[in-house]
Amino acid sequence: FLLKNMKMIFSDLVIVINHKQEYQGENKLEFFSKKIIHRDNIGYDGGAYQDVILNHLNDIELKKYDELVLFNDTFFAPLCSWNEIFGKLSLIDVDFWGLSRSLKTDGDVHIGQIDAHVQAYFIVIRKKMFTQKSFLSFWQQMDIASEYYDAIKNFEIAFTNFFVQRGFKYTSWIDVVRAESLLKPGEN
């Protein structure tokens, strides 16, 4: 369902399988893309994104796109039209955005302070950002996570902070709120 809907709005898809061997249902994926990459399951989302950007895409291929969309299969979407989401966010002057953003918290037992950041399951990066040298620099210096909380720290938080510190702007379709927050009518 997710890939079917993505195929309707994207000009090209690269599918990454975090398993070195082919599996029985893989032929179903070929309907959506002929670009299927097998890799070891290392580094969570950030590790997969890093591998594809550094080892399977090149600057020339990247420059033909207006946006680079990084997403995994851990969410169910779309719950509304992708055209609506991409249409509304195309009107906002930002360099990257996600479907959701985690808000800043004072501390987590595993990570410490958590800065506000775009969540890794779905990130859209605009051409202005991914054609900069700093874009490749981020991926080249990113530490591979071996544990879940390292993935949040080394990729999600680090990605957002790295690019904000370099003057790039971001937003999200929705913000994640704490359970104790009181929502106003109509808020997510």
Side-chain angles (χ1 to χ4, degrees), residues 23 34 37 47 64 83 106 118 138 185-186:
Y23 66 96
K34 299 296 182 214
I37 298 168
K64 72 180 182 181
N83 290 329
D106 291 335
V118 171
F138 171 80

Coordinates of all heavy atoms in Angstrom, one line a residue, residues 23 34 37 47 64 83 106 118 138 185-186:
Y23 N 14.8 -12.8 -1.3 CA 13.8 -13.5 -0.6 C 12.6 -13.8 -1.5 O 12.5 -13.2 -2.6 CB 13.4 -12.8 0.7 CG 12.7 -11.5 0.5 CD1 11.3 -11.5 0.5 CD2 13.4 -10.4 0.3 CE1 10.6 -10.3 0.3 CE2 12.7 -9.2 0.2 CZ 11.4 -9.1 0.2 OH 10.7 -7.9 0.0
K34 N 13.0 -1.1 -10.3 CA 14.1 -2.0 -10.7 C 15.3 -1.8 -9.9 O 16.3 -2.5 -10.0 CB 14.3 -1.9 -12.2 CG 13.1 -2.1 -13.1 CD 12.7 -3.6 -12.9 CE 11.5 -3.8 -13.8 NZ 10.5 -4.8 -13.3
I37 N 18.4 -2.6 -3.7 CA 19.7 -2.7 -3.1 C 19.6 -3.6 -1.9 O 18.7 -3.4 -1.1 CB 20.2 -1.3 -2.7 CG1 20.4 -0.4 -3.9 CG2 21.5 -1.5 -1.9 CD1 20.6 1.0 -3.6
G47 N 21.7 4.3 8.9 CA 22.7 3.5 8.2 C 22.3 3.1 6.8 O 23.1 3.1 5.8
K64 N 19.5 15.5 -10.6 CA 18.3 15.5 -11.6 C 17.0 15.6 -10.8 O 16.0 15.8 -11.4 CB 18.4 14.3 -12.5 CG 18.1 13.0 -11.9 CD 18.2 11.9 -12.9 CE 17.8 10.6 -12.3 NZ 17.9 9.5 -13.3
N83 N -0.5 14.3 -2.3 CA -0.6 15.6 -3.0 C -0.9 16.8 -2.1 O -0.3 17.8 -2.2 CB -1.5 15.5 -4.2 CG -1.0 14.6 -5.3 OD1 0.2 14.5 -5.5 ND2 -1.9 14.0 -6.0
D106 N 13.9 17.7 28.2 CA 15.0 17.9 29.1 C 15.9 16.7 29.2 O 17.1 16.9 29.4 CB 14.5 18.3 30.5 CG 13.8 19.7 30.5 OD1 14.2 20.5 29.6 OD2 13.0 19.9 31.3
V118 N 13.5 16.2 13.3 CA 12.6 15.5 12.3 C 12.8 14.0 12.6 O 13.9 13.5 12.7 CB 13.0 15.9 10.9 CG1 12.2 15.0 9.9 CG2 12.6 17.3 10.6
F138 N 27.9 15.4 6.0 CA 27.1 14.8 7.1 C 27.2 13.3 7.1 O 27.5 12.6 8.1 CB 25.7 15.3 7.1 CG 24.9 14.5 8.2 CD1 24.9 14.9 9.5 CD2 24.1 13.4 7.8 CE1 24.2 14.2 10.4 CE2 23.4 12.7 8.7 CZ 23.5 13.1 10.1
P185 N -8.9 22.1 20.1 CA -9.7 21.5 19.1 C -9.1 21.6 17.7 O -8.6 22.7 17.3 CB -11.0 22.3 19.1 CG -11.1 22.8 20.5 CD -9.7 23.1 20.9
G186 N -9.0 20.5 17.0 CA -8.4 20.5 15.7 C -7.0 20.3 15.6 O -6.4 20.2 14.5

